[in-house]
RNA sequence: GCCCGCGUGGUGAAAUGGUAGACACUGGGGACUUAAAAUCCCUUGGCCGCAAGGCCGUGCCGGUUCAAGUCCGGCCGCGGGCACCA
């Protein structure tokens, strides 16, 4: 009888797999291929249970497919650029590069004992010049293909750190690091023309039948297609060049309820009027505050009457005032609207504040024309009674009324149907050091010129310092200074780097030929693409996946991917988090105090802190009290405690379970088994030490069971036992279905049932 | 505000429209042991009953069906996404 000793078995087999190159992906013309990919990690330095769950799912699929006769590609890499490395350099000194590569080495050491079937020969890090140099080559190709351009855009600017901040980095209108009030600034930035693909990225979602419905919906909403009418108001008293004012509306059926027109503070007309000090003062006021959702939400609606008038398109004697209003967005529609207060809440708020008329289009308000303070927005699917209609009368389906209105404008050549998308072009400029340098050069005579491909990669300089705010590339003269690849004159290198989402938008393609001297090798890409199964967190449902879908199309256009790979992920699975229950109270100073459930044992309805007799030391970071220290206070503590059953694991809550400790105590298979059991994989799973112990016990039982069978005489091994044969067949069937249907919890349950028989 | 998803024991959860609660955790009882740990066995939705057994149970109210956790309509609650997008 041997004992189940994972610490002896696991390293042994991991070495054997390594020696045999068991997981090295090979193009095999005799086998169907299968590409399984988990979203690659950011090298923070520590793996956590979420990683274990994510990679175990992929590993189960990869091993299942390999065993089913597929030639499997299951690679791993590092999403290695980004701000944390720079923050670490600023806070602790050192260099982002050293910090990142150190973390990669540490994390790889932690991942190895998990025994994943990964082809490590294809490992890549996005901060390798070998990787980002190819990204630069593609950037240049995309410039030539007209998919990249520069334009001025309004951004969140932190005046202390001297950098652009992402919206998520602005908290209450202040920079998250500096605490300085964020300004809206117009900067010239680089953009990818993702909006060229709005229609296609939207319609192709229908073909992604193996993606979660939820993700497809979120993407569809993000792309945000809408159909409407665009027309020009004839202006009265406007400056030269503004004889008409183009507006866009999705509700032309309410045009007879118009009572004003409004333009964005960023509208060209507003800027033209800025010579007027009153206008200038208003625009300054309107531009204050960040561009974040919160800032916009709490901002009060303010406006200024320009004195300009426009003629109603259906009645030239009817004139409407033109206002500049802070709630009109420049980058949607034409940056100008007609205001219909009765049937749009924003317009109503605005009209009430400035005393503008409110005209009801529908017969909604029996007691009179006043709609009060709540606008009536007729759902497009409703049949409504129009009292002020354009070219029809009485009851009509709102959708049809919109159609007839558009028809009327088109028939009279005074407007046309226009489809708009919410999706904006992707701004990729970052004023940061630790990212992929944008490979262009600013030349006094030639303008903006792409770097010559022969000069790639444009490597980041190592000798930089982070002791003063701002982008160190900006103040690195020998790196910045260069010669123009076109005319040979002295020129200046672009110091912006790319958004790290660019790095992760094509790594799946690079894995098919990770050492190639071109971004991809079409032959390899044609064999391995698409990713058959992609697995990762829902938090990437929109940005990463949308950018990747765009990038695959751009890579096809620039000749780096075959046409079959334009939709790169055949199937997507979004897995839930690993959470951990926690007891929370506050100490005398009001600071939160946390206790983990495994600290506490209930006995006769009284809790006391667990004293471990076995030296498992699963949670060395938790504060254990010895028996003598068990104070009566623990009872009061738990009485007052707030129980948070599914708290996300986080350092501040001290409820992080380090996979390394679990592996040390129970082995990797226990950790893997547990995170796959219990909860359906798309849902959060709650980590419990009892559950982990149960997983270990079960694996031990299986071990001793096999041991006993091994020692049985041949004629007692159960051959010919029809009940056993039936149970075996059932278990195989259920496990197969469980794996293929991403119901690992059910596969595991059926294995429990099998060993219980 | 708009869009989407989910409500099943003490807990995590199972259940092609067909015996609700598989499997696991926790709790209770027992065996082994000087004792404990480990291991094994029994039990564990609620109520009534000594028992055999019975009744009630999938958020709430209705509907379809021979049959509803599952399908349809309405409510309530929770969670997620988007949001001055005209």
């Amino acid at each position: 009888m041997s004992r189940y000793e994972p610490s002896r078995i696991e390293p042994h087999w991991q070495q054997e797999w390594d020696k045999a190159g068991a997981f090295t992906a090979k193009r095999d013309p005799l086998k169907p291929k299968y590409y399984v990919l988990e979203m690659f990690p950011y090298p923070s330095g520590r793996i956590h249970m979420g990683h274990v769950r994510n990679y175990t799912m992929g590993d189960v699929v990869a091993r299942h497919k390999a065993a089913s006769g597929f030639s499997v590609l299951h690679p791993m890499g590092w999403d290695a650029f980004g701000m944390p490395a720079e923050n670490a350099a600023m806070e602790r000194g050192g260099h982002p590069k050293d910090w990142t590569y150190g973390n990669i080495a540490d994390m790889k050491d932690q991942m190895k004992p998990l025994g994943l079937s990964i082809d490590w020969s294809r490992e890549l890090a996005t901060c390798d010049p070998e990787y980002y140099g190819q990204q630069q080559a593609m950037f240049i190709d995309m410039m030539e293909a007209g998919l990249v351009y520069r334009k001025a855009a309004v951004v969140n600017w932190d005046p202390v750190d001297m950098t652009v901040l992402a919206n998520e980095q602005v908290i209450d209108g202040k920079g998250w690091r500096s605490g300085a009030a964020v300004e809206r600034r117009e900067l010239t930035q680089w953009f990818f023309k993702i909006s060229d693909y709005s229609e296609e990225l939207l319609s192709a979602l229908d073909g992604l039948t193996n993606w979660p419905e939820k993700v497809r919906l979120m993407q569809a909403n993000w792309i945000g297609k809408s159909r409407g009418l665009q027309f020009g108001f004839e202006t009265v008293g406007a400056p030269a060049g503004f004889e008409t004012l183009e507006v866009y509306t999705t509700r032309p059926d309410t045009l007879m309820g118009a009572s004003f027109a409004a333009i964005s503070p960023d509208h060209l007309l507003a800027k033209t009027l800025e010579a007027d000090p009153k206008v200038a003062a208003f625009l300054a006021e309107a531009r204050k505050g960040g561009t974040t959702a919160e800032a916009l939400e709490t901002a009060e609606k303010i406006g200024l009457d320009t004195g300009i008038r426009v003629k109603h398109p259906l009645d030239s004697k009817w004139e409407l005032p033109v206002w500049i209003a802070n709630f009109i967005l420049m980058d949607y529609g034409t940056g100008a609207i007609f205001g219909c207060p009765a049937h749009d809440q924003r317009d109503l708020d605005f009209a009430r504040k400035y005393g503008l008329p409110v005209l009801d289009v529908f017969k909604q308000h029996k007691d009179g024309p006043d709609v009060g303070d709540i606008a009536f927005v007729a759902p497009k699917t409703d049949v409504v009674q129009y009292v002020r209609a354009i070219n029809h009368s009485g009851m009509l389906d709102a959708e049809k009324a919109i159609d007839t209105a558009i028809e009327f404008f088109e028939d009279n050549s005074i407007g046309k149907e226009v489809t708009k998308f919410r999706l904006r072009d992707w701004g990729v400029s970052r004023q940061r050091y630790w990212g992929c340098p944008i490979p262009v050069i600013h030349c006094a005579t030639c303008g903006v010129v792409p770097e010559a491909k022969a000069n790639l990669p444009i490597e980041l300089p190592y000798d930089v310092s982070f002791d003063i705010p701002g982008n160190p590339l900006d103040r690195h003269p020998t790196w910045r200074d260069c010669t123009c690849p076109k005319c040979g004159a002295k020129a200046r290198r672009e110091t912006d780097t790319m958004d790290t989402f660019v790095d992760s938008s094509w790594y799946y393609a690079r894995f098919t030929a990770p050492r190639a001297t071109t971004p991809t090798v079409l032959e390899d890409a044609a064999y391995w693409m698409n990713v058959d199964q992609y697995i990762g967190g829902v938090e990437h449902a929109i940005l990463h996946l949308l950018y990747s879908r765009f990038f695959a199309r751009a890579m096809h256009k620039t000749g780096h991917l075959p046409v079959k790979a334009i939709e790169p992920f055949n199937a997507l699975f979004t897995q839930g988090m690993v959470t951990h229950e926690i007891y929370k109270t506050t100490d005398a100073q009001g600071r939160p105090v946390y206790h983990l459930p495994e600290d506490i044992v209930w006995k006769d309805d009284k809790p006391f802190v667990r004293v471990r007799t076995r030296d498992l030391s699963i949670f060395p970071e938790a504060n254990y009290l010895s028996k003598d220290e068990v104070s009566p206070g623990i009872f009061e503590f738990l009485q007052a405690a707030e129980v948070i059953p599914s708290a996300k694991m986080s350092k501040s809550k001290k409820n992080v379970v380090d996979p390394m400790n679990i592996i040390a105590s129970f082995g990797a298979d226990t950790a893997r088994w547990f995170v796959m059991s219990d909860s359906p994989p798309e849902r959060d799973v709650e980590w419990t030490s009892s559950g982990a112990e149960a997983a270990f016990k079960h694996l031990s039982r299986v071990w001793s069971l096999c041991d006993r069978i091994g020692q049985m005489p041949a004629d007692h091994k159960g051959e010919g036992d029809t009940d056993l044969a039936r149970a075996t067949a059932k278990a195989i069937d259920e496990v197969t279905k469980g794996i293929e249907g991403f119901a690992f919890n059910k596969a595991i349950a059926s294995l429990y049932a099998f060993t219980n028989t």
Side-chain angles (χ1 to χ4, degrees), chain A residues 184 260 262-267 270 282-291 295-305 323-330 335 337 346 349-350 353-354:
Chain A
R184 294 177 71 200
F260 64 94
I263 60 172
S264 163
D266 298 313
H267 196 280
F282 174 79
L283 292 182
E285 179 68 23
R287 281 176 192 144
K288 262 204 271 179
T291 58
L296 291 170
E297 204 171 338
T298 50
E300 207 190 329
K301 290 183 176 50
I302 53 171
L304 179 75
D305 190 349
W323 288 65
I324 305 171
N326 65 338
F327 66 97
I328 310 300
L329 303 173
M330 191 54 223
I337 59 143
R346 296 156 300 176
D349 295 344
F350 191 74
K353 181 167 178 184
Y354 292 105

Side-chain angles (χ1 to χ4, degrees), chain A residues 654-670:
Chain A
K654 298 200 182 87
N655 66 338
V656 175
V657 177
D658 189 331
M660 291 304 101
N661 294 330
I662 303 300
I663 291 173
S665 315
F666 296 120
D669 282 331
T670 292

Side-chain angles (χ1 to χ4, degrees), chain A residues 315 320 377 380 428 432 452 460-461 464 524 551 611 629 633 690 702:
Chain A
D315 179 358
L320 306 168
V377 183
K380 285 186 187 170
V428 294
R432 284 278 162 189
L460 288 167
V464 287
D524 290 303
F551 232 81
V611 179
E629 290 171 314
S690 54
V702 172

Side-chain angles (χ1 to χ4, degrees), chain A residues 542-601:
Chain A
I542 298 173
L543 294 184
H544 163 60
L545 290 165
L546 192 64
Y547 292 151
S548 294
R549 295 179 62 220
F550 159 69
F551 232 81
R553 285 166 171 80
M555 286 175 76
H556 171 246
K557 190 173 181 183
T558 51
H560 297 300
L561 276 181
V563 65
K564 72 162 192 172
I566 60 167
E567 203 53 80
F569 310 122
N570 286 351
L572 171 72
F573 189 86
T574 53
Q575 109 263 12
M577 293 185 304
V578 182
T579 62
H580 196 195
E581 183 180 59
I582 198 159
Y583 292 77
K584 179 189 182 188
T585 49
T586 46
D587 67 9
Q589 282 79 44
R591 289 177 303 227
V593 177
Y594 296 102
H595 253 277
L596 295 170
E598 49 273 0
D599 295 349
I600 300 147
V601 174

